[in-house]
Amino acid sequence: MTDTAALLAELVEDADASFVLIARDGAQSVELLTGPTRDVDLLADIPLTIDGTPREVFAMVPYRQVRERGFEATDDGTPLRCLIVDEHRDFPLEDMLAALPADPVPLKDAGFDITDEDYAEVVSRVIADEIGRGEGANFVIRRDYTATVDADERSTALAWFRALLTHERGAYWTFAVVTPGHIAVGASPEAHVVARDGIVTMNPISGTFRHPAGGATKETLIDFLSSTKETEELFMVVDEELKMMSAVCSDGGRITGPHLKQMSRLTHTEYMLRGRSRLDPRDILRETMFAPTVTGSPMQNACAVIRRHETTPRGYYSGVAALFTPNGEGGHDVDAPILIRTVYLEDGRLRVPVGATLVRHSDPYGEVSETHGKAAGVLGAIGAIPRDTAAAIKADPDEPGTDTPLADDPEVAALLASRNSRLAEFWLNPQEDGSTGPFAGRTALVVDAEDRFTTMLAHQLRHLGLDARIVPWHEAQDAEIDAADLLVAGPGPGDPRDANSPRIARMRELVGHRLDQGAPLLAVCLSHQILADRLGLDLAPLAAPHQGLQKTVPVFGEDASIGFYNTFTARVSPDSETTGVSADADTGDVYALRGDGYASVQGHLESILSRDGIRTLERLIEHALRIG
């Protein structure tokens, strides 16, 4: 028996031992972390320093931790478990593969906990009742593939880890986490957040192309990349993660990409977001809980929708595994992949949670198929079900030896690059210091109505020179509202006509108060609708939600390309020429309003979909402030 095999056997035999195995993308080694575990209540309690000494800590962060942000989640008691690293060793990949067990582990009583028909019904209900009434742009609803495992659980974890190393590729982390009572083995494609040397990166991935049996062709990939649903799904999650980046990064975040993330049986599209931050890595992690790719948008409402429609708690699914490592500056870096494509094993029961992103275009049985594909990708990789043949895209499927990386094909690369022509240059290019912006020296108070688009909006306001601060709707005080040079009444989910919503009632008060004062006001999306109602305009639901929709619309003499996330609209007669109203000539849908000391817009000028966003925002603020 080799030294590596002997060490693994010792860890398996000791039921109280805790260890973590990690293989990072492209590395030819496997890391082994060992040490004691400690369960803590809050992210702030993760023990990065013990007795004055910085320590390396590996943490499993469950989904229920999102309650730290004030969001809803069922408390299932899944622990925030920390392994305090006593020893961190590297082993050559070849040696580790030779030492790990290779026998397949049979499953019994395998299948989804929710039938295909029931899951399709949940999808239909979410599209109609949640997206359809303006609760958000997209939501991820999961189901679990479950089975019974009779084999020794710790040995099983090592066998599955070896299978993933052998049969899966392209994962950001391939890992096995073995602690008393909790085992997780996975191959996560997605780094949720990484902070190193003051640079924060996030990696939103969305859109799933399942390689057909027998191998994919360039044509099938191009069909996937040409899908409106898949493209808009990716744009929406980038918007949601930019909200998080704008909250933790002084420069708001910059987009690079898109890229392809190719795995053995699935290919995804992705962007990279990058910005600078001085925050404690635990604070960065808290402000970015959790990825919209596995929750939805807006995040706060997505958590409420998940709680309404998922039948069981999530456990670790959609949380993160986070490795905190001391750095040369006296602090810690963090590397935190999302806990997806992961098998959980507890008390002889396997669980593979998988979810589909539901948007306005979703076909219920298409989303059923997506969950089957994701589950099969994991189960096939660990050898629990027959494996599909993993094949690269072939430039010419009739000629042998023509396998090529997906993104290297010129037509594929051009199609990917063309996506950026739809996006706002503001978020693609380095952003200038706002200290000399056109509104320098003025203050803005942004009232958040439960959509963190306000973080992106505040960043743009600062870029334009305003000293901008965000306050939640329920904390906004009249004195600070009166003191602001500009009040920005922000966006939020829901029906603007809902008389029973305390949030909407408070936003009505704020908008009305500012109008009565004649003080500068900018109203966005939901608040635009509230303003329109106050001015006597009709409100109505759209025939189909405009969630993540890019439109070119008239805004007081200029056509502007703007991103929309609305289910309701203010409406006037199409043939009316009401002063201060910019509306669609055919439908009468109101895109913008302006009057003495106020302006509003239905779209999200801060969205990556708003190519003319920063220009339009400047024009509307200029009007509200009575400049010019």
Side-chain angles (χ1 to χ4, degrees):
M1 181 181 289
T2 67
D3 290 344
T4 305
L7 174 59
L8 293 177
E10 183 179 331
L11 291 170
V12 166
E13 289 168 7
D14 183 355
D16 295 324
S18 296
F19 63 93
V20 178
L21 292 163
I22 301 171
R24 307 188 198 225
D25 188 17
Q28 292 301 305
S29 63
V30 175
E31 301 163 59
L32 172 63
L33 286 60
T34 55
T37 59
R38 180 187 301 179
D39 294 346
V40 299
D41 293 329
L42 303 172
L43 289 170
D45 299 330
I46 295 173
L48 300 187
T49 302
I50 299 176
D51 296 330
T53 302
R55 298 295 299 271
E56 185 171 37
V57 178
F58 175 90
M60 289 285 284
V61 183
Y63 173 72
R64 73 184 183 103
Q65 227 50 47
V66 79
R67 296 176 307 147
E68 288 194 43
R69 296 188 64 188
F71 300 169
E72 291 186 35
T74 300
D75 184 2
D76 58 353
T78 302
L80 170 47
R81 178 153 294 179
C82 303
L83 185 145
I84 302 160
V85 180
D86 282 340
E87 191 171 21
H88 187 153
R89 300 173 60 184
D90 280 8
F91 295 84
L93 178 61
E94 262 186 44
D95 291 356
M96 184 60 71
L97 286 171
L100 290 165
D103 293 337
V105 178
L107 305 183
K108 295 180 180 179
D109 307 318
F112 279 104
D113 61 338
I114 301 171
T115 67
D116 288 354
E117 292 73 19
D118 287 347
Y119 186 76
E121 172 57 30
V122 171
V123 172
S124 299
R125 196 159 60 244
V126 170
I127 295 168
D129 296 345
E130 306 291 0
I131 297 174
R133 69 167 187 254
E135 296 301 321
N138 56 84
F139 301 109
V140 179
I141 303 298
R142 83 173 212 293
R143 62 201 297 222
D144 294 346
Y145 189 94
T146 64
T148 299
V149 177
D150 287 338
D152 175 77
E153 292 187 357
R154 297 165 77 89
S155 297
T156 294
L158 296 185
W160 287 344
F161 180 66
R162 185 188 191 282
L164 288 173
L165 290 176
T166 305
H167 298 287
E168 186 56 274
R169 67 171 181 269
Y172 179 70
W173 271 23
T174 302
F175 59 89
V177 181
V178 180
T179 66
H182 291 275
I183 289 175
V185 185
S188 176
E190 189 167 353
H192 175 51
V193 64
V194 177
R196 290 194 185 102
D197 301 322
I199 302 297
V200 176
T201 57
M202 297 184 75
N203 177 210
I205 293 176
S206 192
T208 301
F209 171 56
R210 185 181 182 186
H211 301 173
T217 64
K218 183 175 76 173
E219 287 70 26
T220 56
L221 176 65
I222 286 175
D223 284 346
F224 161 73
L225 292 176
S226 302
S227 164
T228 298
K229 173 189 178 294
E230 300 291 353
T231 301
E232 291 184 354
E233 189 177 301
L234 178 61
F235 290 161
M236 284 189 277
V237 298
V238 172
D239 257 340
E240 191 68 19
E241 294 205 3
L242 266 176
K243 298 176 189 179
M244 298 175 180
M245 290 289 288
S246 295
V248 300
C249 295
S250 58
D251 56 352
R254 181 187 172 202
I255 303 170
T256 58
H259 311 288
L260 287 180
K261 167 70 72 172
Q262 183 181 355
M263 303 185 74
S264 296
R265 293 157 185 81
L266 302 170
T267 293
H268 306 281
T269 46
E270 65 179 0
Y271 277 93
M272 294 297 297
L273 314 181
R274 182 172 283 105
R276 294 185 176 275
S277 180
R278 296 181 180 274
L279 292 178
D280 183 295
R282 293 167 294 192
D283 294 332
I284 291 172
L285 199 54
R286 182 185 304 104
E287 289 300 315
T288 59
M289 291 191 299
F290 282 114
T293 51
V294 283
T295 53
S297 172
M299 179 69 196
Q300 184 166 352
N301 233 35
C303 292
V305 169
I306 287 167
R307 192 171 187 185
R308 283 197 289 271
H309 293 278
E310 290 189 354
T311 58
T312 58
R314 287 195 161 198
Y316 288 112
Y317 171 72
S318 72
V320 296
L323 181 60
F324 297 88
T325 304
N327 58 33
E329 305 299 319
H332 283 72
D333 297 334
V334 65
D335 189 358
I338 302 175
L339 288 169
I340 53 175
R341 312 296 161 78
T342 299
V343 185
Y344 300 95
L345 185 56
E346 298 175 9
D347 298 324
R349 194 72 176 159
L350 165 146
R351 187 171 68 94
V352 179
V354 290
T357 301
L358 314 184
V359 297
R360 59 192 173 91
H361 295 301
S362 286
D363 168 67
Y365 281 94
E367 304 300 355
V368 167
S369 178
E370 181 164 329
T371 62
H372 278 276
K374 288 177 176 176
V378 178
L379 295 165
I382 66 172
I385 63 174
R387 297 185 179 100
D388 291 336
T389 302
I393 298 301
K394 286 180 175 292
D396 184 347
D398 296 323
E399 292 186 15
T402 57
D403 286 1
T404 183
L406 309 182
D408 289 353
D409 181 89
E411 192 173 351
V412 169
L415 186 57
L416 270 175
S418 70
R419 291 185 172 191
N420 285 354
S421 65
R422 296 181 56 187
L423 304 185
E425 290 187 4
F426 180 85
W427 298 108
L428 292 168
N429 298 323
Q431 299 155 19
E432 298 175 2
D433 179 8
S435 60
T436 59
F439 309 121
R442 292 179 171 88
T443 63
L445 185 69
V446 183
V447 180
D448 188 325
E450 296 185 5
D451 187 338
R452 295 300 298 276
F453 259 128
T454 50
T455 62
M456 295 169 67
L457 183 56
H459 178 68
Q460 288 193 326
L461 295 173
R462 296 180 191 114
H463 176 80
L464 293 172
L466 288 151
D467 180 2
R469 187 168 65 86
I470 302 170
V471 60
W473 65 270
H474 56 282
E475 296 179 11
Q477 302 298 315
D478 289 345
E480 61 183 339
I481 291 167
D482 293 343
D485 294 326
L486 176 70
L487 179 72
V488 181
D495 186 339
R497 306 164 301 178
D498 186 356
N500 297 317
S501 167
R503 175 171 52 88
I504 289 174
R506 180 57 177 153
M507 296 305 292
R508 285 176 178 168
E509 288 177 3
L510 300 180
V511 168
H513 177 72
R514 198 72 176 181
L515 282 179
D516 292 341
Q517 284 186 318
L521 167 70
L522 175 68
V524 179
C525 197
L526 175 71
S527 294
H528 156 87
Q529 296 162 8
I530 289 171
L531 172 64
D533 182 64
R534 167 67 185 254
L535 297 174
L537 278 62
D538 292 334
L539 298 178
L542 293 162
H546 288 172
Q547 297 291 350
L549 181 67
Q550 186 180 57
K551 297 178 66 175
T552 298
V553 302
V555 180
F556 302 116
E558 289 187 13
D559 286 342
S561 177
I562 295 174
F564 287 80
Y565 285 85
N566 64 304
T567 299
F568 295 87
T569 185
R571 190 167 283 158
V572 297
S573 174
D575 56 1
S576 70
E577 296 183 2
T578 308
T579 302
V581 176
S582 189
D584 189 281
D586 296 322
T587 65
D589 291 354
V590 177
Y591 298 129
L593 297 166
R594 66 182 182 184
D596 185 19
Y598 69 82
S600 72
V601 64
Q602 176 61 76
H604 284 265
L605 303 180
E606 67 281 7
S607 166
I608 62 168
L609 294 171
S610 292
R611 290 182 296 174
D612 299 312
I614 195 72
R615 159 69 181 161
T616 306
L617 181 62
E618 183 177 348
R619 290 178 62 216
L620 293 177
I621 293 173
E622 192 174 75
H623 178 88
L625 290 173
R626 301 182 177 92
I627 297 174

